[in-house]
Amino acid sequence: MLSCMSLVAYSQHKNKHQADIVIYGGTSAGVIAAVQATKMGKSVIVVSPDLHLGGLSASGLGFTDTGDKSVIGGLARTFYQRVYQHYQQANAWNWQKKEEYGNKGQGTPAIDGKDRTMWIFEPHVAEQIMEDFVKENKLTIYRNEWLARKAGLEMKDGKIINIKTLSGKIFTGKMFIDATYEGDLMAAAKVSYHVGREANAVYQEKWNGVQAMVFQHSHYFNNKIDPYKTPGDKTSGMLTGISADQPGLNGTADRKLQAYCYRMCLTDRPENRIEFPKPDRYNPMDYELLLRVFNAGWNELFNKYDPIPNHKTDTNNHGPFSTDFIGMNYDYPEATYAKRKEIIKTHENYQKGLMYFMANDPRMPKDIQQRFKKWGLAKDEFKDNGNWPYQIYVREARRMIGDFVMTEHEVLGKKEVPNPIGMGSYALDSHNVQRYVTHEGYVQNEGDIGVKAPKPYSISYQAIVPKKTECKNLLVPVCLSSSHIAYGSVRMEPVFMILGESAATAAALAIDHKINIQDVNYSQLKNLLLNQKQYLTLAN
């Protein structure tokens, strides 16, 4: 038997863990970064708040925002090649014949036989590929471990020495990577960051800041919809989700965020379908505005039920009133874990309530309701979470402010990018930020922007490293240094995987040369990334 002193020593040893590279976050970027760290011969630990790995890629976002697939390389492309290999197997098609699936993708066909890639997939397939990466590379993952954000980080001479989780575990490393959607490790290290929209004047942009009455998608009210509980009666109060405040002058700054939602995996296959559950909190009046939209003639409800294999969908926000819970996430980035849980639960109740309302409320247009009732949650997805996605879509939270900031000028090809480590190609894409009443007295949404990038663009190494005066051994491939509107393009899952791989490569170089992350020799880094089949510029 162990003595009391031995038990104490054992307990202390048990709670202390060490690796060359410590990654905080079990997102797609975190897993890919860990794989690359191992390939570079470095010991690595992934500290994941989540039980399920892969972030949004494994939580409903299966209709990939590819942009230009030709610039997706390295381990990110390996992931999509694994998807292709999975769906080449006959037993992958449980609810549908492969030849019945079709080949619809976003910006590219779903299945590319020539390149042996597939860009569209079911959530459980993505998660299994992530777990295969873990097993094959013998990755060490600590799940359900949450950074102690107030006093859980020890720094010395501008470097993180270790991080501590709420369970008491301590993780010591030479290099750290923040792969979370929220940027919690970055913030705990007191690295500069921004929340919300900058004024256009800050970076001489056009599409940042408030963008009232600018309509570039279809997510706005194109009919005159009354905002009041009793139509025409201001004294009756406004319907749920409409702000009493005006949005502000166009181009000005605020601390508001583009809306979050869940990317639901739905199915119309009866044998695999579960009826939409009634949420814990449900009030039909929360959806009165949607009824008015339908009654005004809107009929695009099913336009973003994007098909993924086996009679399933990646269902995204679409239209003026949809799954985006506009205006209800502003506090999320800086909130405590308890407050974030409340915000997430409120979003879950809203979105489940929306589905339940459309399926059951007798005031729904009958033709739409009958068609809608053919859909439900997929029985074979998210099986330990009531068939509901694990991860809410945190489209934007904190964004680091480094020595170099990605702006719309780089995305739109108007400025060159120094020291590229990967590429993006998606449009400047922001979802709505607020819902308000116009001066004419009608409801309207604000903040939805979609400006096409004319060609793929490079992302700078300096965009994923903090200022040297703030932290010398941290990389931030997800909450990178970017303006709000540029982040609207960068924030795609393939790009996060690309930047995760590049971050791990740079971290390994810094360890090998015993230097700060800002002092990594770019020529050496570039050569390694090119050898990894990463795409850095259109010329490479």
Side-chain angles (χ1 to χ4, degrees):
M1 275 181 75
L2 291 170
S3 66
C4 289
M5 288 298 291
S6 297
L7 279 169
V8 171
Y10 173 75
S11 176
Q12 290 176 341
H13 174 73
K14 182 182 172 185
N15 282 334
K16 291 184 177 180
H17 309 275
Q18 190 166 352
D20 293 325
I21 301 173
V22 176
I23 298 168
Y24 185 59
T27 60
S28 60
V31 175
I32 294 298
V35 172
Q36 182 57 30
T38 300
K39 289 182 178 296
M40 298 287 290
K42 299 295 177 275
S43 59
V44 61
I45 292 173
V46 177
V47 182
S48 173
D50 304 301
L51 294 173
H52 296 270
L53 302 178
L56 257 295
S57 288
S59 206
L61 206 167
F63 198 76
T64 304
D65 302 307
T66 45
D68 188 328
K69 66 181 180 183
S70 70
V71 297
I72 300 172
L75 290 170
R77 181 162 285 260
T78 299
F79 172 83
Y80 296 105
Q81 287 170 339
R82 294 279 184 103
V83 174
Y84 175 87
Q85 291 163 10
H86 172 81
Y87 286 109
Q88 290 302 300
Q89 304 171 68
N91 62 6
W93 300 90
N94 301 322
W95 305 108
Q96 181 180 38
K97 292 181 179 179
K98 183 182 176 183
E99 53 271 22
E100 293 175 353
Y101 167 59
N103 206 17
K104 180 188 174 186
Q106 185 173 182
T108 182
I111 305 170
D112 188 337
K114 180 184 174 185
D115 288 343
R116 299 178 65 80
T117 52
M118 186 166 173
W119 307 96
I120 312 299
F121 48 85
E122 297 160 278
H124 75 270
V125 172
E127 185 176 6
Q128 186 57 57
I129 292 170
M130 292 294 174
E131 293 293 350
D132 290 343
F133 282 147
V134 171
K135 187 176 179 181
E136 292 163 16
N137 294 278
K138 298 182 173 60
L139 300 180
T140 301
I141 314 284
Y142 288 88
R143 305 175 198 241
N144 196 28
E145 291 290 343
W146 299 77
L147 177 68
R149 288 158 58 189
K150 286 189 175 179
L153 186 145
E154 182 183 351
M155 291 190 72
K156 184 178 180 182
D157 299 328
K159 290 186 176 182
I160 303 171
I161 304 301
N162 60 55
I163 62 174
K164 186 177 182 179
T165 59
L166 295 179
S167 70
K169 292 183 178 65
I170 297 172
F171 299 92
T172 302
K174 298 173 184 175
M175 291 286 154
F176 291 80
I177 297 175
D178 186 341
T180 63
Y181 294 119
E182 295 83 5
D184 283 343
L185 177 55
M186 169 187 74
K190 295 183 169 45
V191 167
S192 299
Y193 62 86
H194 190 86
V195 175
R197 299 184 285 189
E198 300 94 344
N200 274 329
V202 175
Y203 301 115
Q204 292 74 54
E205 294 176 296
K206 180 179 181 180
W207 302 113
N208 208 334
V210 175
Q211 297 286 333
M213 305 305 288
V214 177
F215 308 125
Q216 296 178 338
H217 287 124
S218 57
H219 311 312
Y220 63 96
F221 294 88
N222 57 9
N223 292 300
K224 295 178 178 179
I225 305 293
D226 191 292
Y228 302 106
K229 291 179 180 176
T230 301
D233 182 3
K234 293 183 180 181
T235 65
S236 66
M238 279 187 281
L239 293 173
T240 304
I242 303 174
S243 173
D245 300 325
Q246 284 297 297
L249 295 175
N250 276 16
T252 58
D254 58 27
R255 286 185 60 83
K256 298 172 181 176
L257 300 169
Q258 58 177 309
Y260 298 170
C261 71
Y262 284 93
R263 297 289 284 255
M264 296 177 298
C265 185
L266 306 184
T267 182
D268 61 355
R269 186 72 182 243
E271 310 96 299
N272 195 35
R273 185 183 67 214
I274 294 175
E275 289 187 2
F276 294 110
K278 188 175 184 179
D280 296 332
R281 179 206 166 275
Y282 176 68
N283 182 357
M285 276 301 293
D286 290 345
Y287 311 102
E288 175 68 25
L289 187 56
L290 177 62
L291 281 182
R292 295 183 189 182
V293 172
F294 281 134
N295 292 337
W298 186 75
N299 61 357
E300 300 176 20
L301 175 63
F302 303 99
N303 284 24
K304 284 301 290 178
Y305 283 44
D306 291 315
I308 62 176
N310 285 310
H311 271 281
K312 298 176 189 175
T313 72
D314 168 354
T315 299
N316 194 13
N317 178 83
H318 186 72
F321 189 105
S322 186
T323 57
D324 278 0
F325 200 16
I326 299 171
M328 302 301 164
N329 59 342
Y330 300 157
D331 293 336
Y332 181 86
E334 305 277 39
T336 63
Y337 291 136
K339 180 63 177 177
R340 281 186 189 165
K341 271 189 171 182
E342 289 179 18
I343 294 169
I344 289 169
K345 184 62 177 176
T346 303
H347 278 72
E348 180 185 322
N349 281 336
Y350 163 78
Q351 197 163 330
K352 283 182 175 178
L354 174 62
M355 300 296 111
Y356 184 83
F357 176 88
M358 289 193 289
N360 295 284
D361 197 282
R363 296 170 296 164
M364 278 284 295
K366 293 305 175 192
D367 56 334
I368 294 175
Q369 189 170 63
Q370 286 174 1
R371 187 179 170 194
F372 180 76
K373 285 173 78 72
K374 295 178 182 177
W375 293 95
L377 300 177
K379 192 184 297 185
D380 59 352
E381 298 289 350
F382 315 121
K383 291 190 284 189
D384 60 347
N385 197 46
N387 310 105
W388 192 253
Y390 304 120
Q391 171 72 55
I392 193 171
Y393 195 172
V394 178
R395 288 190 172 93
E396 185 175 347
R398 299 182 180 98
R399 302 185 313 280
M400 184 169 67
I401 304 174
D403 284 327
F404 179 86
V405 180
M406 292 288 297
T407 70
E408 68 178 46
H409 304 298
E410 287 76 29
V411 173
L412 298 179
K414 296 177 180 179
K415 285 187 178 180
E416 293 295 315
V417 173
N419 303 331
I421 56 166
M423 300 190 77
S425 61
Y426 207 77
L428 298 171
D429 182 49
S430 173
H431 281 233
N432 280 306
V433 174
Q434 51 194 330
R435 180 173 287 149
Y436 68 103
V437 179
T438 66
H439 294 298
E440 291 75 29
Y442 302 108
V443 64
Q444 194 51 268
N445 296 331
E446 181 277 322
D448 185 82
I449 293 294
V451 178
K452 184 176 175 61
K455 61 184 180 181
Y457 59 89
S458 300
I459 300 168
S460 174
Y461 176 61
Q462 279 68 40
I464 70 166
V465 297
K467 296 173 182 176
K468 196 172 183 178
T469 54
E470 294 180 344
C471 190
K472 301 172 184 174
N473 66 336
L474 174 68
L475 296 108
V476 187
V478 176
C479 294
L480 68 156
S481 181
S482 168
S483 71
H484 152 72
I485 197 58
Y487 196 77
S489 173
V490 173
R491 64 174 179 83
M492 304 302 159
E493 289 289 296
V495 178
F496 288 155
M497 294 187 212
I498 290 166
L499 297 181
E501 178 176 352
S502 297
T505 305
L509 265 180
I511 291 170
D512 288 343
H513 293 279
K514 297 184 171 67
I515 55 176
N516 301 323
I517 205 68
Q518 293 84 1
D519 298 328
V520 166
N521 182 292
Y522 176 69
S523 294
Q524 293 177 347
L525 177 59
K526 176 182 176 181
N527 288 337
L528 286 172
L529 297 179
L530 290 175
N531 286 337
Q532 291 158 208
K533 296 185 168 30
Q534 291 260 49
Y535 295 95
L536 310 184
T537 66
L538 284 176
N540 85 292

